Amino acid sequence: NCMSINSPTELFKEIYQNITGSSYRCQLDNQNIYNLFTKNSKNSCDMNILILDEMDNIITKSQQSLFELFTWASDIIQTENKPNILLIGIANSLNLTDRFLPRLRANCINPKLVSFLPYTADQIKSVISNKLISLQPSSIKNNSIPIVHPAAIQFCSKKAAVTNGDLRRAFDIMYSSLNLFQENLFKSTDIEDLKILLDSSITPLDKLPKMTITSVVKVCSQSFNANFDLKLKPLTIQQKMILAFLFKHEEKTEAELQKSKLKSKTNANLTSNTIKTTLSANDISLKSFFEYYIEKCKDLDHVTLLKRSEFLEIISSLDNQGIVNLSMIGVTTSTSNLIKNRNVSLNFDNYKITPSLPKHEFIKNVSDIVLLKKIIYSSF
């Protein structure tokens, strides 16, 4: 668990202690760890599997320790005493190896990337519904959902999916909403009626009052609004400016998409394949967004134009904070192709970018900054 480690240097100490069962008192160098993974008289394992959970927590300017581990697990070392190590790194950043370990690509080390996409609203709804149905006694054969109204589940699922697709967030919303519903129920119901209502021998689970969407709306309103304020307040003016440009670029893209749809309706010869191409071309890639940013900055006075590396650094920071979402363009095909082809490395041009918060929340938080208002209310 890399959350309990402060630096890559401490990682080697942790590995040594877990494998040998004893702490290393002297200076621990790479060769000591290398020997642990090599098959010898002291180590008869055919393969050592090392899983680094939350690997992005130990990313620092000095990447030597991590680079060594990736090298040992790669096909580069072809000697007889090659370490028998299978390295599995789990991180929140989709393109972590490209952004923070560029030496890997420079040395022809291409780890296999497996992307786990966020849960969709339908998937979250299915998990919550099935969990509630499982509370029913086995004697009840139907699939009716107890305690919570389906509309409340649907609203909760959509909110969680829009934010970050995290099931834990959906469960937190549902738990808080049920607590609120229970409090209101206790206040509005006579004590004797409440005793009968909560007696499981009298009132079956599927006959209990169901929590409505009202409770979920109230919890989401308090939770998400506060969350947006906390996320936006610490941002620098450059970060907020890029967010403002992103919302404008999104407006522009949507307008072009609508224009394309209208044109396709009037053109009877436009094939379905052509329409598909038009729609996919409107993905907001980081490349097109950067070009839009450069173009619009020319119209603003006293604004320092960021270089490409600086621009990408800010995007990375916003992505890590959950304020924007980076995902691969054409994820159903290009991702698998990239993974299969070890000679192709991921880069920012493979990604599209979308904001992870509503536009009205952003505008509300920056309404007092003249420069940002000028960007937001300008023509795209």
Side-chain angles (χ1 to χ4, degrees):
N1 178 16
C2 294
M3 290 297 288
S4 61
I5 300 171
N6 295 322
S7 68
T9 309
E10 288 185 22
L11 175 62
F12 277 3
K13 294 180 181 178
E14 189 76 16
I15 291 171
Y16 185 90
Q17 187 169 346
N18 273 269
I19 292 178
T20 63
S22 59
S23 58
Y24 200 85
R25 300 181 183 275
C26 305
Q27 183 66 31
L28 190 66
D29 58 26
N30 296 349
Q31 191 61 41
N32 298 123
I33 302 298
Y34 186 97
N35 293 336
L36 289 177
F37 291 125
T38 306
K39 195 170 183 179
N40 49 46
S41 57
K42 293 182 180 180
N43 178 13
S44 59
C45 293
D46 293 319
M47 183 58 69
N48 303 278
I49 302 175
L50 175 62
I51 302 176
L52 303 181
D53 194 14
E54 303 287 356
M55 190 174 68
D56 38 357
N57 187 60
I58 55 172
I59 295 296
T60 62
K61 288 184 179 179
S62 175
Q63 309 297 345
Q64 186 59 32
S65 301
L66 281 176
F67 177 71
E68 291 284 355
L69 287 174
F70 275 102
T71 303
W72 298 342
S74 71
D75 299 326
I76 288 182
I77 302 175
Q78 297 294 342
T79 58
E80 289 184 4
N81 62 338
K82 180 186 183 301
N84 298 325
I85 176 174
L86 176 64
L87 179 63
I88 300 174
I90 303 172
N92 294 318
S93 303
L94 186 64
N95 53 345
L96 178 136
T97 52
D98 253 23
R99 281 159 51 189
F100 299 111
L101 292 169
R103 285 176 64 190
L104 295 179
R105 187 167 68 252
N107 287 272
C108 300
I109 300 173
N110 296 289
K112 181 177 180 181
L113 301 178
V114 181
S115 304
F116 292 88
L117 300 177
Y119 283 89
T120 64
D122 287 340
Q123 289 170 332
I124 295 173
K125 178 184 174 182
S126 176
V127 170
I128 295 174
S129 300
N130 289 331
K131 184 64 179 174
L132 289 169
I133 291 170
S134 71
L135 300 176
Q136 295 271 37
S138 56
S139 57
I140 297 179
K141 302 293 184 182
N142 62 42
N143 287 329
S144 62
I145 302 173
I147 305 175
V148 182
H149 193 277
I153 299 174
Q154 180 74 20
F155 185 82
C156 169
S157 303
K158 286 185 175 181
K159 275 289 185 181
V162 167
T163 310
N164 53 12
D166 193 336
L167 271 178
R168 292 168 296 185
R169 189 63 188 272
F171 291 151
D172 287 341
I173 295 170
M174 194 58 66
Y175 181 79
S176 300
S177 302
L178 283 167
N179 277 341
L180 179 63
F181 175 69
Q182 180 178 278
E183 287 175 15
N184 294 334
L185 187 66
F186 286 175
K187 290 176 184 177
S188 60
T189 309
D190 182 75
I191 188 67
E192 293 301 322
D193 294 338
L194 199 58
K195 286 179 180 178
I196 297 171
L197 188 66
L198 299 179
D199 188 342
S200 58
S201 62
I202 299 173
T203 310
L205 197 63
D206 60 338
K207 299 299 181 183
L208 286 173
K210 290 189 176 183
M211 181 187 76
T212 62
I213 193 173
T214 307
S215 300
V216 185
V217 169
K218 191 169 183 179
V219 167
C220 287
S221 178
Q222 295 169 349
S223 171
F224 284 90
N225 289 346
N227 190 42
F228 291 139
D229 292 341
L230 289 172
K231 281 185 175 182
L232 289 168
K233 203 169 184 179
L235 297 184
T236 65
I237 187 65
Q238 284 282 14
Q239 289 174 318
K240 290 178 179 177
M241 189 171 73
I242 284 181
L243 268 178
F245 278 128
L246 179 57
F247 282 115
K248 291 307 295 182
H249 191 28
E250 200 176 46
E251 284 181 32
K252 179 182 178 226
T253 305
E254 183 62 30
E256 289 174 351
L257 182 61
Q258 294 301 326
K259 187 177 179 181
S260 175
K261 284 181 179 178
L262 288 172
K263 187 178 178 181
S264 67
K265 286 180 181 179
T266 58
N267 188 351
N269 297 323
L270 194 63
T271 65
S272 58
N273 288 334
T274 311
I275 295 171
K276 276 187 178 181
T277 305
T278 306
L279 294 177
S280 62
N282 280 280
D283 285 335
I284 302 180
S285 68
L286 278 173
K287 183 179 180 181
S288 68
F289 178 40
F290 182 58
E291 291 169 352
Y292 176 81
Y293 162 80
I294 293 173
E295 178 190 341
K296 299 306 290 183
C297 275
K298 293 175 183 176
D299 301 330
L300 298 173
D301 299 325
H302 311 297
V303 172
T304 304
L305 187 65
L306 296 173
K307 296 177 182 176
R308 179 181 169 84
S309 58
E310 295 169 331
F311 179 82
L312 295 179
E313 189 176 334
I314 289 180
I315 294 293
S316 300
S317 173
L318 293 173
D319 176 40
N320 291 333
Q321 295 175 66
I323 295 171
V324 301
N325 180 48
L326 292 176
S327 56
M328 289 198 66
I329 296 173
V331 70
T332 54
T333 55
S334 60
T335 303
S336 57
N337 289 339
L338 283 167
I339 289 172
K340 287 175 184 176
N341 187 353
R342 295 173 65 88
N343 296 320
V344 179
S345 59
L346 298 175
N347 59 67
F348 273 103
D349 291 343
N350 299 126
Y351 288 84
K352 60 182 178 181
I353 180 171
T354 53
S356 296
L357 70 163
K359 182 181 176 182
H360 69 271
E361 287 293 339
F362 175 73
I363 294 174
K364 186 176 72 175
N365 276 271
V366 300
S367 57
D368 57 336
I369 304 175
V370 177
L371 173 62
L372 298 180
K373 285 176 69 176
K374 187 175 181 181
I375 296 171
I376 290 167
Y377 296 111
S378 66
S379 60
F380 47 77

